[in-house]
Amino acid sequence: MKGGDEEVAAPAGPPQPLDWKFSQVFGERIAGEEIQEVDIISAIEFDKTGDHLATGDRGGRVVLFERTDAKDHGLSRRDLERTDYPISWHPEFHYKTEFQSHEPEFDYLKSLEIEEKINKIRWCQTANSALFLLSTNDKTIKFWKVQEKKIKKISNIIADPSKAVGNGNVASSSNSNSPKPFPTNGVSPDRSCKHLGNDISFPPGGLPSLCLPVVTSQETNLVARCRRVYGHAHDYHINSISNNSDGETFISADDLRINLWNLEISNQSFNIVDLKPANMEDLTEVITSAEFHPAHCNMLAYSSSKGSIRLIDLRQSALCDSHAKLFEESEAPGSRSFFTEIIASISDIKFAKDGRYILSRDYMTLKLWDINMDSGPVATFQVHEYLRPKLCDLYENDSIFDKFECCLSGDGLRVATGSYSNLFRVFGCASGSTEATTLEASKNPMRRQVQTPSRPSRSLNSITRVVRQETLGVDANGNSLDFTTKLLHLAWHPTENLIACVAANSLYMYYA
């Protein structure tokens, strides 16, 4: 009780698990259909508004999708209010355009073939209804502008002037039946019009036989234009690009270096992180992912193959050799094996929307880190712990080196990542949440869903860390998993519970 007559509201419980439904699919594969290597999607990204989605594939193409349900629900607001039955609604995206971003190249100095595969796509700030985005392959970053332009359609020039209709004012006036001759460009009608000066000539019939092209229609087409190319700055393969919140700069990261670019300057970058030792034999770790803080333009984080995350402050020094904070989990005594370092390597990191938390994905787990607490992760989610006995087989077929991405919901209450057999997992990370859902990238996402046991509720702010593991029933022994079908790339809508995920050449979307 408060003040004698006011009742204190009980603390709200954890959010209920979401009921995920299939929304739509692009490029659905027919059973038995062979997938072309160039069609496999390798990057996916929502823009900040969530109204546009971009995908990149191994063929160097970038495909853009635009949300359409928010623009037109089919009925006016007043009609929707008058209806007595519920309107079935779900987010809907339509194909917008596509363009060839990168082409295969060959580095003759290093005798190295450079693939056209798109590694990352990042949206930039829009301006004047034009869309801007960055795309990169292993070596070259490109800045693209996509804008609607009116394309004028010109009619064919008709050979017979008598059949020309509406060929402009000049032609129509020249076709006049007036017998009165008129001067042409100040030339007396008595003079011949066949040749006028050295540069200008007229047909033998004079002006009446001159036919002019006519603009018949104007079509609006989307045109993608490469504004800038940022190249020749990385000796190793680029694994990350990230926009700064200042809207002017971005970073690109390869295995050993991170460079800072200005969007307006393509021939110069600044090296801000350099892990390359004087002797390459002394190399112990490489950079696996890097991302700018969503709000503070001076802060960025990068992960390493040793399972650590470093937070650096660009205000400290020009070359950020020293980190502001180091996030890593201490190794349990006696747990080290041949695979320990391999599975500890972080394949992806993402900042939460508010910048307070960092989500990281290694081979076996998702970890959520509080940037104010560097003693260890505040939550760990076991993605496929049942694969641990099969690490030797996974090493033999190179699956252990697969790089899975991760994402957070816009409200920060859930995290998601992919797995094998085209499965992906959604975990609740709010205080007291026990949500752990398994979905399949198909038209029936809940086909593989099983009941999960109850879990202890913990708060994100609690120093005690919680480990959450999902039981997958038939998949617990790993026998039914298909390691050739893996869901590596997925993205969460910035404001709604909408997940876009990639299964080979197909793009699936689910909403809740």
Side-chain angles (χ1 to χ4, degrees):
M1 301 294 289
K2 183 179 179 182
D5 55 356
E6 293 184 9
E7 188 174 338
V8 178
Q16 293 296 316
L18 295 177
D19 180 21
W20 291 96
K21 298 181 180 66
F22 170 78
S23 177
Q24 57 189 138
V25 58
F26 295 93
E28 185 179 16
R29 182 163 54 107
I30 304 171
E33 180 185 355
E34 185 179 352
I35 302 175
Q36 299 296 321
E37 182 77 12
V38 294
D39 293 332
I40 296 177
I41 301 173
S42 55
I44 184 170
E45 183 81 2
F46 280 106
D47 70 348
K48 284 188 176 180
T49 64
D51 291 335
H52 294 93
L53 175 69
T55 64
D57 61 27
R58 294 188 183 181
R61 292 164 300 194
V62 172
V63 182
L64 304 185
F65 300 89
E66 184 177 29
R67 186 166 180 174
T68 56
D69 63 286
K71 294 181 178 179
D72 182 15
H73 289 283
L75 295 172
S76 66
R77 181 176 176 179
R78 181 171 294 179
D79 291 336
L80 288 171
E81 290 174 350
R82 288 175 178 174
T83 55
D84 295 328
Y85 57 91
I87 300 295
S88 60
W89 171 89
H90 68 86
E92 189 173 350
F93 282 76
H94 283 181
Y95 168 87
K96 187 176 179 72
T97 188
E98 68 179 83
F99 56 90
Q100 189 70 32
S101 173
H102 288 73
E103 300 280 358
E105 301 174 45
F106 191 81
D107 189 335
Y108 292 96
L109 292 176
K110 298 181 179 179
S111 295
L112 182 67
E113 187 176 350
I114 303 172
E115 291 183 330
E116 66 269 34
K117 171 192 168 189
I118 304 297
N119 290 343
K120 294 289 180 182
I121 296 173
R122 290 293 181 266
W123 290 91
C124 303
Q125 292 181 355
T126 59
N128 299 328
S129 73
L131 303 175
F132 295 90
L133 49 88
L134 290 166
S135 63
T136 183
N137 64 353
D138 286 339
K139 295 291 183 181
T140 307
I141 307 162
K142 294 185 179 182
F143 183 48
W144 291 91
K145 178 182 181 180
V146 182
Q147 190 175 27
E148 287 186 348
K149 284 198 172 183
K150 289 185 177 179
I151 308 297
K152 294 181 179 179
K153 226 177 180 181
I154 309 298
S155 67
N156 294 328
I157 298 177
I158 306 173
D160 186 358
S162 63
K163 295 180 181 179
V165 179
N167 270 353
N169 294 329
V170 175
S172 59
S173 62
S174 65
N175 284 334
S176 170
N177 294 323
S178 172
K180 185 179 179 180
F182 53 88
T184 307
N185 288 346
V187 179
S188 170
D190 297 333
R191 290 186 58 182
S192 172
C193 291
K194 290 185 178 179
H195 297 283
L196 184 62
N198 296 326
D199 299 327
I200 306 174
S201 63
F202 288 94
L207 284 177
S209 64
L210 184 64
C211 302
L212 301 178
V214 177
V215 177
T216 56
S217 64
Q218 290 190 356
E219 294 181 354
T220 302
N221 289 345
L222 279 166
V223 178
R225 188 164 66 92
C226 183
R227 294 286 302 274
R228 288 176 192 86
V229 177
Y230 313 90
H232 313 294
H234 287 277
D235 293 330
Y236 306 94
H237 290 178
I238 298 172
N239 56 48
S240 303
I241 52 175
S242 179
N243 304 87
N244 198 344
S245 58
D246 61 10
E248 297 179 357
T249 57
F250 71 93
I251 55 169
S252 59
D254 63 22
D255 293 339
L256 296 179
R257 293 188 177 98
I258 300 178
N259 293 333
L260 178 67
W261 302 82
N262 188 300
L263 283 168
E264 302 295 326
I265 304 171
S266 60
N267 60 356
Q268 185 183 46
S269 65
F270 298 94
N271 180 224
I272 55 176
V273 174
D274 190 350
L275 298 186
K276 187 176 181 180
N279 185 357
M280 286 296 285
E281 292 182 359
D282 298 330
L283 183 67
T284 58
E285 61 181 336
V286 296
I287 298 169
T288 57
S289 183
E291 185 166 278
F292 260 119
H293 190 282
H296 302 307
C297 61
N298 57 289
M299 292 176 64
L300 63 95
Y302 69 91
S303 60
S304 81
S305 58
K306 276 195 165 182
S308 61
I309 302 172
R310 290 174 174 86
L311 192 67
I312 60 176
D313 192 336
L314 298 177
R315 298 172 298 184
Q316 289 183 342
S317 63
L319 185 63
C320 302
D321 289 329
S322 60
H323 51 267
K325 284 189 177 182
L326 174 66
F327 304 95
E328 59 182 354
E329 191 170 23
S330 57
E331 189 179 308
S335 63
R336 188 168 185 81
S337 70
F338 173 77
F339 304 108
T340 300
E341 281 197 14
I342 300 176
I343 64 175
S345 176
I346 295 175
S347 56
D348 189 29
I349 60 170
K350 291 284 194 311
F351 271 101
K353 195 173 182 179
D354 60 0
R356 171 71 183 272
Y357 298 98
I358 299 175
L359 180 67
S360 68
R361 170 70 202 265
D362 57 43
Y363 187 69
M364 301 295 288
T365 65
L366 271 175
K367 292 185 174 75
L368 194 66
W369 308 78
D370 186 337
I371 64 171
N372 296 328
M373 191 181 83
D374 53 8
S375 59
V378 293
T380 300
F381 309 97
Q382 302 289 355
V383 179
H384 38 217
E385 182 65 21
Y386 49 84
L387 293 181
R388 195 171 293 275
K390 294 187 171 293
L391 291 179
C392 188
D393 297 335
L394 294 166
Y395 179 79
E396 289 292 330
N397 62 22
D398 286 343
S399 294
I400 200 171
F401 301 106
D402 289 334
K403 300 185 184 303
F404 293 94
E405 293 181 0
C406 58
C407 59
L408 298 96
S409 61
D411 55 15
L413 298 178
R414 294 172 180 86
V415 296
T417 190
S419 183
Y420 294 104
S421 296
N422 285 341
L423 300 177
F424 65 100
R425 315 286 162 75
V426 179
F427 298 98
C429 55
S431 174
S433 175
T434 60
E435 182 176 356
T437 309
T438 305
L439 300 110
E440 182 183 34
S442 68
K443 288 188 175 180
N444 183 13
M446 307 300 286
R447 190 166 63 118
R448 303 289 287 269
Q449 180 64 25
V450 294
Q451 292 297 322
T452 54
S454 59
R455 296 171 179 80
S457 60
R458 298 286 173 87
S459 169
L460 273 183
N461 299 322
S462 171
I463 295 181
T464 307
R465 294 183 287 276
V466 55
V467 177
R468 190 168 302 168
Q469 176 178 346
E470 183 168 0
T471 305
L472 286 183
V474 295
D475 288 337
N477 55 13
N479 291 331
S480 63
L481 286 179
D482 181 3
F483 296 116
T484 61
T485 56
K486 55 196 78 170
L487 200 151
L488 301 177
H489 312 287
L490 75 171
W492 203 304
H493 191 280
T495 58
E496 299 179 21
N497 288 319
L498 171 68
I499 292 180
C501 58
V502 172
N505 64 330
S506 302
L507 172 64
Y508 288 89
M509 295 190 187
Y510 304 94
Y511 72 100

